[in-house]
Amino acid sequence: MKPKTKRILNFLLIFGTLAIVLIVGFSGNDFGKALEALKTVPQFWLLLCFAAYLGYLSCEAMAIHFFLRRQGCPVTLRYAFFVAIVGMYYSNITPGATGGQPMQVYYLHKRDVPVGLSTSALLVKLFSFQFMLLVIGTVCWIRHGAFIAENVGSSMWILIVGYVYNAVVVGFLLLVALNRRLVHFLLMLILKIGTKLRICKEPDQTRVRWEDALETYHGSIMMLAHRPLDVLVQLAIGGIQLIVLMMVIVCLYFGFGLSGATVTQLIALGVMLYTSASYTPLPGASGAQEGVFALYFAKVFPDDVRFMTLLLWRFFTYYLSLIVGAVATVGFGLRKDKNVQDEQK
């Protein structure tokens, strides 16, 4: 299947899911009442939701920028923001978020960042976020176990599967970071398969490039291992990024004038939601995120505001990234075309 066809299918899935959510949601809710509920939310709280999105994006950019600068690679913070936006955009439109990291490596390579170095930067960023998801999730479960059990109810198995999955991902990322032989074996296996399928036209040259990238990759990882403070900074950024993302739910809760749940309880349930739905192999976990939200927050948000809350939450945590990412990638392409035309004059 051609890349363009895959992208079209992914977009159809994303917006098809949105259409289903809207149809199902409004079939049991009066549209006028939903709009009235939205009007009751002070703009202050919606601005805070937008600020939470910016905070999440900023953490993504700072993690990339900090790692590369500490490795002696002079990538500007502005370009790190662009790379972060691109990564979030392609992760959200590809199954299992598989498209984000390759595109980030591609755009970093345009700034002369070695493939091995950019790969290690993204691996460390991913590991830090997933590790802090487990740590914060465990703390939340211990601190607010009764509140979580009350709201998750019979869907606890979904949460347990998600928790186990994320634990396996963290373990695998750590193994890949430290075991050079395993990475080399996986790369050579991919190269062998690609050669047999005639995807790889120059296997010898590709092997040399990949082995050079592997040396750079493990060199940067080992350098990081001798800088424990850098590791702590990356973990702190990952933890802050997760908490900031959860603040969207908190802002919407208080924005609708609700009470009864504390900030930490809402964050805890939000972390459980992210843990439960993030492993779904669909673009942006479409469908799973909305479904799990409806299950976990059924008792937190009343019927008259729950559907509008879901739409706003999904907008600030997902669709806004699609909009910003699309604008950024198109803008970069237009700028590149303009530069090419200027050079040809």
Side-chain angles (χ1 to χ4, degrees), residues 44-45 48 52 136 139-141 143-144 147-148 151 242-255 258-272 297 300-301:
F44 169 76
W45 291 106
L48 284 183
I136 294 175
V139 173
C140 288
W141 212 333
R143 179 68 178 83
H144 299 292
F147 180 79
I148 292 171
N151 287 280
L242 178 62
I243 296 298
V244 167
L245 184 64
M246 299 303 111
M247 290 305 295
V248 173
I249 293 176
V250 176
C251 292
L252 292 175
Y253 182 81
F254 291 110
L258 303 175
S259 60
T262 66
V263 171
T264 54
Q265 285 177 331
L266 294 170
I267 290 175
L269 198 57
V271 171
M272 298 303 113
F297 286 92
V300 175
F301 292 97

Side-chain angles (χ1 to χ4, degrees), residues 2 36-37 60 71 141 157 237 253 269 291 300 329 342:
K2 296 181 180 180
E36 287 299 322
E60 186 86 1
Q71 297 281 345
W141 212 333
W157 67 271
I237 293 174
Y253 182 81
L269 198 57
V300 175
T329 51
D342 292 341

